[in-house]
Amino acid sequence: MTILVTGTSGQLGRLVVESLLDRGVPAPDVVATARDVETISDLAARGVDVRRADYSDPSSLKEAFSGVDRALLVSSNAVGSRVEDHRNVIEAAADAGVELLAYTSIAHADSTTLLLAADHWATEQILAASGLPVVLLRNGWYVENWAGQIPVALEHGAIAGAAGEGRVSAATRADYAAAAAAVLTLDGQAGKVYELGGSPFTLGELAAELSTQAGREVAYRDHSTSEYTAVLVDAGLPESVAAVYADGDRGIRDGELLVESGNLEQLIGRPSTPLADAIRTLLA
Ligand SMILES: NC(=O)c1ccc[n+]([C@@H]2O[C@H](COP(=O)([O-])OP(=O)(O)OC[C@H]3O[C@@H](n4cnc5c(N)ncnc54)[C@H](OP(=O)(O)O)[C@@H]3O)[C@@H](O)[C@H]2O)c1
């Protein structure tokens, strides 16, 4: 059984490869792809089958998918222009006749109003039309999404956001990767839709946990969506990126990033990593 993972130069894709190896999949049966294979040369050194695959280059995808049985398409980070790239990958997977194609989508892709979800929903439509046996991994937020704010929060004694009292079912990338590896190695996954997320918390609870562990006061400072967009622009983000981030918090406030399916725990066979442990790792 040959299992291909795309985007393994990125953080999630690499963790999926690690999880597959941890589950006992022999390294030569794991195909790790990246558009620059130099970035994953350490995986080649460990016996993983490393292949070049650029989502924008169909010929590279055709070669990469040769002989592949199951595959995970890790969604591209090129927000707003990634649907055609995803289509190329899906077509290559179909041409190769894979028996299973998994895709990292977004929580509640079929109903959410998050700006970030449009590309994922469009990709899910392409997958549905492809006729391929598909499994959807609708990932919630990563806990690591707040990593960049932690030094600022510790310096200023406050973490900013626009999520109000909304709860977010964030989980670590490693937990989502373990779930993806489970899906790729289990049988009977075609047609399944997993809504994945960890134990929910408010941004106030995130700030409180940060305070406890850092030993200094960190408050949660709530803003309206437009105020928070301005805060992010002041911090140096381009307006369009700031608007997408602030919209993410708006989604938390409106309950769109709350996932109560229990699917993550079921797939990984243990509780998701507690917020306190995730923050300990981020602070270290
Ligand atoms: N759930 C969440 O909270 C959350 C947060 C952020 C992102 N995401 C989504 O989840 C995905 C995985 O997360 P991550 O943390 O692993 O992101 P990441 O570290 O930014 O990795 C993104 C991966 O996509 C690859 N990629 C982009 N365009 C490509 C192309 N044309 N051809 C081949 N590979 C391409 C990148 O390759 P290069 O190294 O060559 O650039 C990289 O390997 C992201 O791409 C994004 O869609 C989810």
Side-chain angles (χ1 to χ4, degrees), residues 7 9-12 35 54-55 75-77 82 140 142 145 173:
S9 55
Q11 299 161 91
L12 183 72
R35 52 183 160 181
D54 183 335
Y55 300 172
S75 53
S76 154
N77 50 9
R82 53 190 165 174
Y142 303 150
N145 289 351
R173 277 193 187 87

Side-chain angles (χ1 to χ4, degrees), residues 63-154:
E63 282 181 35
F65 272 87
S66 170
V68 167
D69 298 306
R70 297 180 181 179
L72 170 67
L73 165 54
V74 172
S75 53
S76 154
N77 50 9
V79 174
S81 64
R82 53 190 165 174
V83 178
E84 286 314 305
D85 284 349
H86 292 168
R87 185 192 301 278
N88 290 338
V89 179
I90 294 162
E91 285 176 355
D95 288 347
V98 299
E99 67 172 47
L100 187 72
L101 179 61
Y103 171 67
T104 60
S105 188
I106 193 167
H108 312 301
D110 53 345
S111 60
T112 181
T113 64
L114 280 184
L115 294 174
L116 272 174
D119 292 348
H120 290 294
W121 181 237
T123 303
E124 288 197 10
Q125 302 304 300
I126 297 167
L127 286 163
S130 72
L132 277 167
V134 164
V135 53
L136 298 173
L137 301 166
R138 290 184 174 163
N139 290 345
W141 257 206
Y142 303 150
V143 179
E144 291 89 347
N145 289 351
W146 287 277
Q149 276 176 271
I150 287 180
V152 185
L154 294 179

Side-chain angles (χ1 to χ4, degrees), residues 1 3 16 19-20 23 70-72 99-103 133-139 175-194 196 263-264 266-268:
M1 165 91 62
I3 302 175
V16 175
S19 290
L20 287 169
R23 289 179 79 88
R70 297 180 181 179
L72 170 67
E99 67 172 47
L100 187 72
L101 179 61
Y103 171 67
V134 164
V135 53
L136 298 173
L137 301 166
R138 290 184 174 163
N139 290 345
D175 283 353
Y176 292 116
V183 157
L184 289 166
T185 49
L186 292 168
D187 289 330
Q189 296 301 303
K192 301 222 177 202
V193 178
Y194 292 107
L196 302 171
N263 287 170
L264 182 60
Q266 287 155 12
L267 281 173
I268 65 181

